[in-house]
Amino acid sequence: MRRHLLLQDLLLILLLVLAVEAKASGPAKSGVTAQVWAKSIIAQMTMEEKADFLCGSSCPLNDALKASASTKEISRLGVRPMVTSDGPAGLRILTLRPTDIETYYTTAFPIGTSLASTWDVDMVGKIGEAFGQELKEYGVDILLGPGVNIHRSPLCGRNFEYYSEDPYVTGNIAAAMINGVQSNGVGTSIKHFAANNQETNRHSINEIISERTMREIYLRGFEIAIKKSHPWTVMSSYNKVDGSFTCERHDLLTDILRDEWGYKGFVMSDWDGGVTGNNRSDVVAQISSGNDLLMPGYDEQREDLLKAMKSGQLKMADVDRALEHILGIVYMSPAQNKYVFSNNPDLKAHAELTRRVGAEGMVLLENRNDALPLPKSSKVALFGSTSYAPITGGLGSGDVYKAYVAPVDKGLKNEGIVLDSNLADYYAAYLCYPYHTSEDYNYINEDQMNFNVDCLNTLAAANDEAVITLGRLSGEGSDRKIDDDFKLKPFERRMIENVLKAFHAVGKKVVVVLNIGGVIEMESWKNEVDAVLLAWQPGQEVGNSIADVLTGKVNPSGKLTMTFPKKYEDTPAAKYFPGEPANDPNVSYYKEGIYVGYRSYDKQNVEPSYEFGYGKSFTDFKYSDLKLSSNHFSKQLTVSVVVTNVGRYAGKEVAQLYLSAPAANLDKPVKELKGFAKTGLLQPGESETLTMTLLPKDLASFYTNQEAWIADKGEYKVLIGASSRDIRLQDKFVLPKRMMVEKVHPAFEK
Ligand code: BGC
């Protein structure tokens, strides 16, 4: 007994010595490992300090930046506060501070959907690097992003922050972003874990989702990203799954996240996550299930934590484990290591990058008779308020305080396009900018479109083409509507019709540019116009990026990461979204199961307006020489394909690998995306070989009755497509024996 005590004492003394050393130089520099440092701090913390530390708070820097919240400081032990800040499309900090007259702008990067539409992990990685530099140089330790929830319904108000309807694209784009940000020595918070797919009643909605659907669709993107990029933190979501808040689910936050996926960082709640009233949440359930940090942190939660520790309701082992997770990240943070930030990130370089990547994410949906690129020095009648006051990104925590927004009219002028100045003057009278709410934007649109026939005929006579920009703005806290949002507004229809009539009457073309953050209805009008460029909301360089594509300086190479349906009723969750009762739902049944996005359109044989993976180019590509490294699968298989530019313009192509698995005893999607690769800029006549790799889990489906990912034996079809419905080449391989890929913990309701 005595000997045991002595050893413990010695250990404590050693920890104290190390802690003193780490306090002086910053822990990472002192040679002490994160675990030893964290343990040494925990050993010295009082119960009050522990309760305090499990709740977020604010700190002077946080207040100055108006960043989201920080972790707690324990000055007695030399633990410094880490600052966290939103959000997925740029660092959200205030431009002005009370203490000086400087400005602290950040870059509005392209929204998540736009980034994903590049299908270019290298480019997204570069955005991540730039993003991370802004964090580090403004003194922020952790970015509250990326957002990786699945586009279950086109109406979700935050889809613009998220990447795709497909978990494979989502996971790989997110991994690139996280690796890029974290290469600066700052952290990310992948969010919202999990199944935060609607804004309606987001704090309380109870989602009834099968385990297979969770694992194959709503968790898979997180899994891919977390395994490939090790985000410093994970943010749990607001919603419930099968009756419990995600921030209280041990199966999700510990069994799956840590035990199955090997996650090592910490989990924070979303802001007020699990709070049911009076700033109180079930803190015992949260901490013991693995939600390590409560954000933004309330006094009531601290009190409850302390009480629960004292009564033994909350085990000290669970408390210490949560503390160790948080301190393990504090250890690496710039704040703890006394990084002296410059307040001077390279905003100019980041703007240039944004311009390039914004253009790269644009999807050319239609281009009849080579309407685009616009001929050099064209005279253009530019319609639509978003041509003059474009939308850079969505609203809410994903919004950014940027230094400027590049409008489309200026962008086009700079590229040599001659604009009809009458229209610019006309619109100037209506604009109200910036848009603080979606009403700001909607308001201007209501009034402005009173062009009469004579006026349009004059414009058609005086110009070579018409370009119409249509915008959409949505954000946190509410979902989009079908009328006047998913569907065109009456005045938008009128404008398209009238402009078409006037311009087509004199043989001139009409191009539509979509400055939107989510899917809209296009079936009723897409065939009338000559070209449609889906520009998304590509960040602060919006007008320049659009001009680059319209004028052909950049050949569009983006592809859709979601399906555009012919009508809302075709979308797989249409009957169930946003839940029951419809006017104020408290429960949402995910009855479409794993059949989300193209998985549903394929299965139900429903023709979409534009399919997942679709996107045109000014040039054409030929696919050839599909090669599989083997026609039998054992541990992995390599697929290669040659892509050749057979058209007139230099361009890039995204090749997609879909796998069609043998059905065996399980209902499976017709095909699923399991690989993609993008060429470099291919000159006419030039070829590139693209290589993709299939791993066992890519073959597997989740068998709930066996709690396992299993790859069934049989024939697997490899489909190489320019989109999910434009399959250019195919081959097959055989899995000779059923393969148990991974056995997992039972989770969720069955
Ligand atoms: C949002 C999060 C965000 C947090 C902090 C919440 O309302 O859902 O995405 O990171 O606020 O601003």
Side-chain angles (χ1 to χ4, degrees):
M1 179 69 184
R2 186 165 159 65
R3 194 162 164 257
H4 181 68
L5 268 180
L6 256 178
L7 264 180
Q8 254 186 10
D9 292 346
L10 277 176
L11 193 63
L12 190 61
I13 293 168
L14 181 68
L15 289 176
L16 290 175
V17 171
L18 291 172
V20 171
E21 198 169 315
K23 191 171 171 181
S25 57
K29 286 190 204 132
S30 70
V32 181
T33 67
Q35 208 191 13
V36 169
W37 181 74
K39 280 192 190 307
S40 75
I41 300 292
I42 296 166
Q44 300 170 75
M45 286 169 86
T46 63
M47 240 189 215
E48 284 74 11
E49 281 169 335
K50 289 184 178 182
D52 214 24
F53 198 74
L54 295 178
C55 300
S57 118
S58 198
C59 68
L61 177 60
N62 189 331
D63 289 340
L65 294 169
K66 283 278 174 288
S68 293
S70 56
T71 55
K72 197 79 192 171
E73 176 167 22
I74 317 175
S75 47
R76 173 179 90 79
L77 301 174
V79 176
R80 296 161 73 104
M82 285 191 299
V83 175
T84 73
S85 200
D86 282 306
L91 182 61
R92 184 172 162 81
I93 56 171
L94 269 197
T95 308
L96 299 171
R97 299 182 191 167
T99 44
D100 59 43
I101 53 159
E102 300 294 320
T103 51
Y104 301 86
Y105 287 110
T106 59
T107 306
F109 295 111
I111 57 167
T113 305
S114 153
L115 291 178
S117 302
T118 66
W119 298 67
D120 187 330
V121 288
D122 295 334
M123 277 219 164
V124 174
K126 290 205 175 81
I127 290 282
E129 284 166 27
F131 217 137
Q133 198 216 13
E134 295 195 15
L135 261 84
K136 191 156 184 187
E137 295 311 325
Y138 279 133
V140 176
D141 299 275
I142 293 173
L143 174 70
L144 301 175
V148 305
N149 295 112
I150 293 291
H151 294 187
R152 176 185 178 228
S153 162
L155 299 186
C156 173
R158 287 181 91 174
N159 275 354
F160 72 93
E161 295 184 47
Y162 309 145
Y163 295 134
S164 172
E165 68 186 20
D166 175 83
Y168 187 87
V169 187
T170 297
N172 283 285
I173 295 290
M177 171 61 89
I178 294 167
N179 280 325
V181 174
Q182 294 193 169
S183 67
N184 290 276
V186 292
T188 53
S189 193
I190 190 171
K191 69 188 186 185
H192 310 86
F193 192 55
N196 186 164
N197 307 304
Q198 67 186 63
E199 291 300 290
T200 307
N201 292 347
R202 63 178 178 154
H203 288 271
S204 57
I205 193 81
N206 179 21
E207 305 186 333
I208 309 300
I209 314 178
S210 76
E211 178 172 11
R212 179 178 179 204
T213 305
M214 281 299 280
R215 293 202 181 252
E216 289 192 11
I217 305 292
Y218 296 106
L219 297 183
R220 186 75 181 125
F222 282 97
E223 177 182 2
I224 293 170
I226 287 170
K227 287 180 175 168
K228 285 192 172 178
S229 64
H230 313 288
W232 285 15
T233 80
V234 169
M235 187 189 292
S236 54
S237 55
Y238 285 134
N239 53 285
K240 295 176 184 166
V241 173
D242 295 332
S244 322
F245 284 116
T246 57
C247 60
E248 298 174 5
R249 291 199 73 109
H250 193 275
D251 53 2
L252 184 66
L253 302 183
T254 297
D255 299 345
I256 293 177
L257 180 64
R258 291 191 186 275
D259 299 349
E260 292 174 18
W261 301 351
Y263 182 64
K264 298 277 186 279
F266 74 82
V267 177
M268 67 174 87
S269 68
D270 197 347
W271 270 233
D272 292 352
V275 169
T276 46
N278 304 328
N279 296 337
R280 291 207 135 90
S281 58
D282 187 342
V283 295
V284 174
Q286 288 175 307
I287 300 298
S288 57
S289 66
N291 194 108
D292 306 304
L293 178 67
L294 308 180
M295 282 297 210
Y298 293 111
D299 289 342
E300 292 80 354
Q301 289 174 313
R302 283 182 199 112
E303 277 167 27
D304 292 352
L305 280 166
L306 191 58
K307 225 187 279 165
M309 282 183 215
K310 286 187 173 155
S311 70
Q313 214 192 342
L314 184 57
K315 291 198 207 97
M316 285 319 284
D318 286 342
V319 169
D320 289 353
R321 191 198 50 216
L323 294 170
E324 198 174 320
H325 292 155
I326 306 169
L327 285 164
I329 298 299
V330 173
Y331 168 92
M332 303 196 283
S333 66
Q336 187 62 34
N337 291 288
K338 303 182 180 155
Y339 180 73
V340 183
F341 51 92
S342 63
N343 275 324
N344 193 20
D346 195 347
L347 296 180
K348 194 158 170 281
H350 300 174
E352 278 162 21
L353 179 67
T354 298
R355 177 174 182 162
R356 263 199 302 134
V357 180
E360 194 84 10
M362 291 184 190
V363 187
L364 184 63
L365 295 175
E366 299 290 346
N367 196 18
R368 290 188 187 85
N369 304 320
D370 297 331
L372 290 176
L374 296 172
K376 276 214 157 24
S377 322
S378 273
K379 284 167 77 183
V380 167
L382 185 60
F383 295 89
S385 58
T386 41
S387 297
Y388 303 92
I391 300 172
T392 62
L395 297 170
S397 56
D399 199 1
V400 182
Y401 303 113
K402 57 255 163 205
Y404 64 89
V405 177
V408 184
D409 60 335
K410 295 228 172 62
L412 284 171
K413 271 192 220 151
N414 290 341
E415 294 307 316
I417 298 294
V418 182
L419 294 180
D420 196 303
S421 58
N422 293 328
L423 274 169
D425 295 343
Y426 177 85
Y427 276 100
Y430 289 95
L431 299 180
C432 133
Y433 209 41
Y435 310 128
H436 294 296
T437 65
S438 42
E439 282 71 44
D440 289 347
Y441 169 65
N442 288 333
Y443 168 76
I444 43 170
N445 280 323
E446 292 305 323
D447 286 293
Q448 68 196 11
M449 297 305 157
N450 290 320
F451 299 106
N452 60 37
V453 177
D454 289 346
C455 162
L456 286 174
N457 288 343
T458 312
L459 287 166
N463 294 283
D464 301 322
E465 291 95 10
V467 172
I468 305 173
T469 308
L470 301 180
R472 285 289 178 276
L473 188 58
S474 75
E476 205 173 318
S478 56
D479 290 315
R480 296 171 56 209
K481 304 272 173 296
I482 298 175
D483 287 335
D484 294 344
D485 192 342
F486 175 77
K487 291 185 184 168
L488 291 195
K489 300 168 190 179
F491 82 83
E492 290 172 329
R493 263 178 217 286
R494 251 187 349 257
M495 171 168 61
I496 294 178
E497 269 166 33
N498 294 342
V499 172
L500 272 173
K501 216 179 280 166
F503 278 72
H504 278 184
V506 288
K508 294 180 177 171
K509 292 175 183 154
V510 176
V511 174
V512 173
V513 175
L514 299 174
N515 181 201
I516 61 181
V519 170
I520 61 170
E521 184 277 324
M522 296 182 62
E523 191 60 22
S524 64
W525 58 273
K526 67 176 192 183
N527 293 320
E528 312 292 314
V529 299
D530 299 285
V532 183
L533 177 68
L534 171 55
W536 295 123
Q537 294 163 347
Q540 68 188 40
E541 286 285 319
V542 42
N544 293 329
S545 303
I546 289 175
D548 287 346
V549 176
L550 290 182
T551 58
K553 200 166 154 188
V554 173
N555 184 351
S557 60
K559 299 212 178 186
L560 297 178
T561 60
M562 77 297 289
T563 309
F564 273 56
K566 285 193 171 169
K567 50 185 193 306
Y568 176 71
E569 293 69 31
D570 290 345
T571 64
K575 280 192 272 176
Y576 321 119
F577 187 91
E580 295 175 18
N583 57 344
D584 187 17
N586 49 42
V587 54
S588 181
Y589 296 96
Y590 281 46
K591 290 191 189 161
E592 73 284 5
I594 59 165
Y595 295 101
V596 176
Y598 66 89
R599 288 167 172 79
S600 160
Y601 295 85
D602 283 358
K603 192 81 178 176
Q604 312 296 334
N605 227 338
V606 174
E607 187 84 18
S609 201
Y610 297 108
E611 73 271 17
F612 175 85
Y614 172 89
K616 287 166 113 54
S617 165
F618 297 149
T619 192
D620 295 305
F621 296 97
K622 190 181 104 201
Y623 287 60
S624 64
D625 303 288
L626 172 60
K627 288 203 184 89
L628 273 50
S629 58
S630 167
N631 51 14
H632 279 72
F633 189 93
S634 57
K635 290 198 178 91
Q636 70 171 56
L637 196 135
T638 311
V639 177
S640 68
V641 60
V642 175
V643 175
T644 307
N645 182 350
V646 292
R648 290 184 294 131
Y649 291 87
K652 300 180 183 176
E653 171 71 338
V654 179
Q656 301 152 39
L657 188 168
Y658 297 89
L659 202 61
S660 181
N665 299 321
L666 196 66
D667 194 31
K668 294 184 189 175
V670 175
K671 61 178 179 300
E672 293 182 281
L673 184 81
K674 298 294 175 183
F676 63 87
K678 191 165 186 173
T679 66
L681 187 70
L682 296 180
Q683 297 302 322
E686 205 183 338
S687 302
E688 185 175 331
T689 304
L690 299 174
T691 306
M692 295 162 265
T693 303
L694 291 169
L695 297 170
K697 202 151 180 178
D698 296 323
L699 278 57
S701 299
F702 187 74
Y703 276 75
T704 312
N705 54 0
Q706 300 181 53
E707 291 294 349
W709 289 88
I710 293 170
D712 285 304
K713 77 165 187 199
E715 194 175 280
Y716 287 74
K717 265 194 243 141
V718 174
L719 311 168
I720 300 294
S723 83
S724 62
R725 293 193 167 213
D726 181 7
I727 303 302
R728 302 290 182 89
L729 298 169
Q730 45 177 301
D731 202 344
K732 53 183 186 276
F733 63 83
V734 169
L735 180 68
K737 257 189 19 216
R738 190 172 203 243
M739 190 189 267
M740 166 70 71
V741 177
E742 195 185 337
K743 196 87 183 124
V744 299
H745 300 80
F748 312 107
E749 301 298 316
K750 301 295 169 246

